[in-house]
Amino acid sequence: MNAITKRPSALTEAQFHYCPGCGHSVVHRLTAEVIDELNIKDRAVVVAPVGCAVFADKYFDVDSIQGPHGRGPAIATGIKRAKPDSIVFSYQGDGDLASIGMAEIVHAAARGENITVIFINNTIYGMTGGQMAPTTLVGQVATTAPKGRNEKLQGNPINVSEMLAQLKSAKYIERVSSDSAPNIIKAKKAIKKAFQNQIDGLGFSFVEVLSICPTNWGTTPLKGLDFLREKMMAQYPLGVFKDVTAANKEGK
Amino acid sequence: MSEKVLMKGNEALAEGAIRAGCRFFAGYPITPQNEVPEYMSWRQEETGGAFVQAESEVSAVNMLYGAAATGVRAMTSSSSPGVSLKQEGISYMAGADLPCLIVNIMRGGPGLGNIAGAQGDYTQATRGGGNGDYRTLVLAPFSVQELANFPKKAFELSEKYRIPAMILADGILGQMMEGMSYDFEPVDPKTLPQPAWAIGGKHADRKRNMVFSYALGEGELEKMVLKRAERYALIERDEVLYEERDTQDAEVLIVAYGISARASIAAMNMARANGVKAGLLRPITLWPFPTKRIAELSKKVKAVLCVEMSMGQMKVDVDLAVKGSCPVYLHAKPGAFFPVAEEIATAAESALNGKKDQLFSLEDLVKNAENKTYAVNNPICKEGALL
Ligand SMILES: Cc1ncc(C[n+]2csc(CCOP(=O)(O)OP(=O)(O)O)c2C)c(N)n1
Ligand code: SF4
Ligand SMILES: [Mg+2]
C-alpha cells in the first residue's frame, strides 16, 4: 500500500485543540508541510502569539518561543538578528497583530526584517470569546459590539495587507484564503514563497490568511465558509499586494 | 438600597460603577474580566456615557488619562498582564494628581500565566507599579456585594485625595455569582461638582487649565512630590479600612484579604470548634494598610498567620507592622491555587503551637512539588482556552 498523505514531520504528535472547522488547523498543517518541503525543520523557530494559536509552540516540532500579546514581530527580530541562520516565523491572529501589536508589525516591516509572518484574519477575538477585532466587518456582531460594529462609533475594518504594502521595506505581501481546496493550494504556495524569501535573504514577507471562527461567529463551519466568501472577501480581496522579491533576486 | 439579586461579580462591578456615575470606560479584552467591557459596551450607551474598546491596554489607560482629566468619573478594567501594560498611564495619572478608577481582576502570573484567580499583583498594586514615587489607593473586595459597592467608594476617595484608585480583586470573585444589592442610590453625574482643575468643554467662565506630570524647574518636582506626600499621610491616617472577626480573645491572628479571607473565615470557625482561639483581620484597603491595628493585635496574640495566594507579598506588610512582636507565618498558595479551609485551620493551630511542619508553608510546598498530584484535570486549563 502506498501512503498518499502523512503527518508532516514538522508537526508534533500533539492533538490540536482548535474547534472543528477552525482555520488555524489548516494553516498549521500547510506551514508544517512547507517547513518539511524546504527542509528547514532544524533551523526554524516559531514565535507563538497570544490568541487561540498560543499553543503553536506545542504543535510545530521546531524551536519555539511564546511571548506577550502582539509582540511577536519584535521577538522574531531579536532572534533573527542574534542568529541570522534561523528561519523565524511569527504566527499571529488579528487581535494580536492588528490591534495591540500594530506597532510591532508595522515597524518590523518598515525595518525590512528578514522574517516571515503568518497572519490569521478571522475578524474576531477567538480566544477571549468573540470580542470585536480591528478586522471585524461593519455590522458584524461581537460581544463588545452587541448591535454589530457601528461605523460611526467603531470605524471601519483595517486592511492590514494593503496598509503594510505601502512600506518600502516590505518585500512580499499576499492575502489568501483557507475556505476551499483551490484556495488552500494557493495559500500553501504563498506560505512557501514567504519562507523561501527568508531563506534567500530577500526580506520581510507577510501572508494574510482569511479564516473562519465558527465558534465565536455563532455559526456552523459550512455557514462560516459562506460568510467568509460572501462578506469577508468583499472587504478583504485576495491577491498579491506587493512582490519585489523577483526583481531583488535577479539583482542579487 | 436596591433589591437583593443574584449577580456575577464582574457585572455587579460594572453596574456598580455606572450607578456611581461612571460615564467613561475604556478597556481591552482579557479573561477573567471580559464581562466588564462586555457589559459596559451596551450599558454606557444606554446611560449616555462613552465606551471604547481600545487597541491595547496601553491605549486604554491613556484614554482614561484623557477622560479623567476632564473631571468625569472614568474607569478602565483589566487582568494582570493587561494591568502591567497600564502602569505607564497610572504613573502619569498619579503624577498629574488625577482621580480615576483602575480595576484588576487578578489571574495567575507572571507572564501569560493562566486564567485562574490569583493574588500575585499585591506588590505591584500597593507599591505603585509604574515609575516614580507614588501610591495608588487600593481596595480589596471579598464578595460580589463589595465588588458592586466599591466603585463608588473608590471614586469618592480618589476624588477627595486626587489619587488614582484601584480595585484589586481576582478571577474567582469576578466570575462567581452571589446575592448582592447596591447600598446606595444611583448617582446622577450631573449632580457631581465639576472640579476646578479639569480641562476640556466650553470654558468661557474660567482660565485655562493644564494637566501634566513634569516639573523641570529647580525644586519644582520636590514641591509637587511633597504635596503628594502630605496627602498620602492623610490617607494613611484617615482612610484605613479593615474587618475584624473574633479578635477579642484571639491567640492566633489570621491576616487575609480578598478571596483568601473567605476560606480563612471558614477556617477560623473550624479552629475555634477545635478549641483554637483564632481571629481574623481582613485588610479592605491594601494601601493604606492596617499597619497600626495589626501592630496592636500582634502584641496580644501568640502568632500571626498570613494566608495569601502568592509567595508572601502581603506578608511583607504584616512583618513591617508586627516588627517582631510575635512570630509571623505564611500559608502560601502561589500558582493560582485557592486556600483550603481545613489546611488553614491546621496551619493556624500549628502557628499557635510553633509547629512548623503543619503550616503548609512555602518551603513545604517547594519540597513536595515533585510528588504533588492534581485531583482535577481541568480540560480548559489544560488546553489553555481563553488566555
Ligand atoms: C496584555 C494582554 N491583553 C489581553 C490578553 C487577552 N487575550 C488573549 S487572546 C486575545 C485576543 C486574541 O485574538 P486574535 O489575535 O484575533 O486570535 P484568535 O484567537 O482569533 O486566533 C486577547 C485579547 C492577554 N493575554 N494579554
Ligand atoms: S475559538 Fe475560533 S479561532 Fe479559536 S479555535 Fe475555535 S474556531 Fe478557532
Ligand atoms: Mg482573531
Side-chain angles (χ1 to χ4, degrees):
Chain A
M1 221 168 42
N2 289 332
I4 299 171
T5 182
K6 62 179 190 334
R7 194 178 188 83
S9 84
L11 284 183
T12 62
E13 292 295 317
Q15 199 188 330
F16 290 161
H17 69 283
Y18 300 114
C19 308
C22 176
H24 281 302
S25 304
V26 176
V27 182
H28 274 30
R29 170 151 188 131
L30 297 183
T31 308
E33 286 177 3
V34 164
I35 292 171
D36 281 2
E37 287 166 23
L38 295 174
N39 199 20
I40 50 171
K41 200 180 136 180
D42 58 355
R43 56 183 181 131
V45 182
V46 57
V47 183
V50 171
C52 279
V54 64
F55 293 147
D57 58 357
K58 291 204 200 319
Y59 303 141
F60 288 106
D61 196 11
V62 300
D63 279 357
S64 70
I65 182 168
Q66 196 288 322
H69 196 21
R71 316 298 182 217
I75 298 167
T77 298
I79 299 165
K80 188 72 186 180
R81 297 271 183 136
K83 295 274 180 198
D85 290 350
S86 326
I87 300 299
V88 188
F89 68 107
S90 179
Y91 184 106
Q92 300 179 257
D94 43 4
D96 194 74
L97 182 140
S99 193
I100 191 167
M102 189 57 113
E104 283 75 9
I105 190 64
V106 168
H107 287 274
R111 289 190 306 270
E113 293 298 336
N114 187 27
I115 59 171
T116 303
V117 178
I118 297 169
F119 170 46
I120 305 297
N121 178 355
N122 59 11
T123 71
I124 205 94
Y125 284 73
M127 171 161 271
T128 40
Q131 294 83 8
M132 196 190 78
T135 44
T136 299
L137 305 181
V138 170
Q140 189 182 344
V141 170
T143 56
T144 48
K147 294 184 197 157
R149 182 176 188 155
N150 176 347
E151 194 178 341
K152 290 212 176 78
L153 276 175
Q154 289 122 349
N156 282 282
I158 302 179
N159 283 37
V160 178
S161 288
E162 286 86 333
M163 210 177 91
L164 292 181
Q166 306 302 311
L167 297 169
K168 193 170 175 196
S169 297
K171 292 292 154 58
Y172 169 58
I173 313 269
E174 179 164 1
R175 182 183 291 123
V176 295
S177 167
S178 60
D179 69 296
S180 63
N183 277 339
I184 289 171
I185 291 169
K186 281 190 205 155
K188 182 172 168 186
K189 274 199 189 125
I191 292 170
K192 194 162 184 177
K193 186 173 160 80
F195 275 94
Q196 187 64 52
N197 288 344
Q198 188 180 161
I199 295 168
D200 295 342
L202 298 180
F204 186 83
S205 298
F206 182 91
V207 181
E208 172 175 346
V209 189
L210 301 187
S211 187
I212 64 169
C213 175
T215 305
N216 285 299
W217 293 357
T219 187
T220 61
L222 286 179
K223 284 192 187 135
L225 291 172
D226 290 340
F227 180 87
L228 186 156
R229 287 177 204 122
E230 284 159 27
K231 298 282 173 16
M232 274 181 83
M233 284 189 186
Q235 173 69 37
Y236 302 113
L238 305 186
V240 178
F241 294 92
K242 186 158 191 188
D243 183 5
V244 291
T245 53
N248 269 7
K249 217 169 177 176
E250 278 153 27
K252 226 180 143 184
Chain B
M1 272 297 263
S2 69
E3 201 188 330
K4 189 162 182 175
V5 290
L6 195 63
M7 236 176 147
K8 192 174 193 173
N10 283 335
E11 291 181 348
L13 166 98
E15 178 59 27
I18 293 275
R19 286 185 187 224
C22 171
R23 289 298 179 271
F24 181 91
F25 179 93
Y28 186 77
I30 187 165
T31 314
Q33 66 82 55
N34 284 321
E35 293 82 3
V36 182
E38 285 169 0
Y39 190 93
M40 287 293 190
S41 71
W42 59 271
R43 190 70 172 111
Q44 283 289 4
E45 192 184 333
E46 206 173 77
T47 56
F51 164 81
V52 190
Q53 183 180 317
E55 71 273 24
S56 69
E57 291 85 354
V58 178
S59 177
V61 78
N62 282 291
M63 291 175 185
L64 179 65
Y65 181 33
T70 71
V72 304
R73 286 195 167 168
M75 74 177 277
T76 187
S77 77
S78 190
S79 178
S80 308
V83 177
S84 290
L85 287 178
K86 291 190 196 289
Q87 296 304 326
E88 173 186 272
I90 297 173
S91 170
Y92 273 70
M93 288 186 286
D97 301 313
L98 289 181
C100 63
L101 172 59
I102 302 116
V103 174
N104 183 357
I105 305 292
M106 287 183 281
R107 66 185 225 182
L112 202 50
N114 69 14
I115 58 164
Q119 295 184 321
D121 304 346
Y122 179 97
T123 307
Q124 183 196 59
T126 56
R127 265 58 181 176
N131 68 293
D133 203 0
Y134 73 94
R135 295 284 198 175
T136 47
L137 203 147
V138 186
L139 290 165
F142 91 134
S143 61
V144 173
Q145 175 72 23
E146 288 189 347
L147 262 181
N149 287 288
F150 278 10
K152 178 159 179 277
K153 203 185 281 291
F155 278 124
E156 287 167 354
L157 287 170
S158 125
E159 285 160 8
K160 183 171 171 193
Y161 295 99
R162 293 187 60 182
I163 177 177
M166 178 175 277
I167 291 181
L168 189 71
D170 67 84
I172 302 169
L173 281 173
Q175 293 298 319
M176 76 187 192
M177 287 184 97
E178 247 183 343
M180 53 67 60
S181 66
Y182 294 100
D183 60 16
F184 60 93
E185 291 303 318
V187 176
D188 178 357
K190 287 194 210 79
T191 63
L192 296 169
Q194 174 73 356
W197 45 259
I199 58 164
K202 194 165 158 30
H203 57 89
D205 53 343
R206 65 162 168 85
K207 280 200 293 191
R208 78 190 185 106
N209 278 331
M210 293 169 77
V211 172
F212 57 93
S213 62
Y214 61 79
L216 299 173
E218 184 66 22
E220 269 179 30
L221 186 63
E222 187 187 29
K223 275 209 185 76
M224 260 166 84
V225 169
L226 290 178
K227 270 196 196 154
R228 221 164 275 139
E230 195 182 357
R231 296 205 306 279
Y232 291 174
L234 290 178
I235 294 173
E236 286 184 312
R237 192 191 69 189
D238 297 338
E239 307 297 350
V240 178
L241 293 171
Y242 56 86
E243 183 197 343
E244 268 180 57
R245 296 192 186 209
D246 291 351
T247 49
Q248 249 116 350
D249 62 341
E251 293 183 335
V252 52
L253 179 71
I254 302 174
V255 183
Y257 72 95
I259 196 72
S260 291
R262 297 284 283 253
S264 298
I265 291 168
M268 196 185 76
N269 296 332
M270 283 177 195
R272 286 216 165 234
N274 287 334
V276 176
K277 286 188 182 153
L280 174 82
L281 186 136
R282 172 171 76 91
I284 295 174
T285 49
L286 300 182
W287 190 82
F289 194 71
T291 309
K292 219 170 109 193
R293 185 60 188 147
I294 292 175
E296 283 165 13
L297 289 171
S298 72
K299 298 201 175 78
K300 295 202 277 181
V301 298
K302 296 197 177 119
V304 172
L305 178 70
C306 298
V307 179
E308 56 180 316
M309 293 158 75
S310 82
M311 294 190 211
Q313 298 186 11
M314 180 197 67
K315 181 172 179 285
V316 174
D317 281 336
V318 174
D319 280 330
L320 287 170
V322 173
K323 286 198 182 123
S325 306
C326 71
V328 180
Y329 298 100
L330 172 65
H331 181 72
K333 285 284 170 181
F337 263 82
F338 184 65
V340 179
E342 287 80 0
E343 288 182 5
I344 302 173
T346 311
E349 191 173 349
S350 305
L352 187 56
N353 302 329
K355 280 196 304 189
K356 289 202 176 156
D357 54 328
Q358 290 290 310
L359 284 167
F360 307 96
S361 67
L362 190 58
E363 292 83 347
D364 290 344
L365 291 180
V366 172
K367 237 186 286 164
N368 301 330
E370 281 279 304
N371 303 323
K372 183 168 179 186
T373 52
Y374 296 90
V376 202
N377 200 355
N378 183 336
I380 293 186
C381 286
K382 209 169 103 196
E383 294 182 348
L386 309 175
L387 273 175

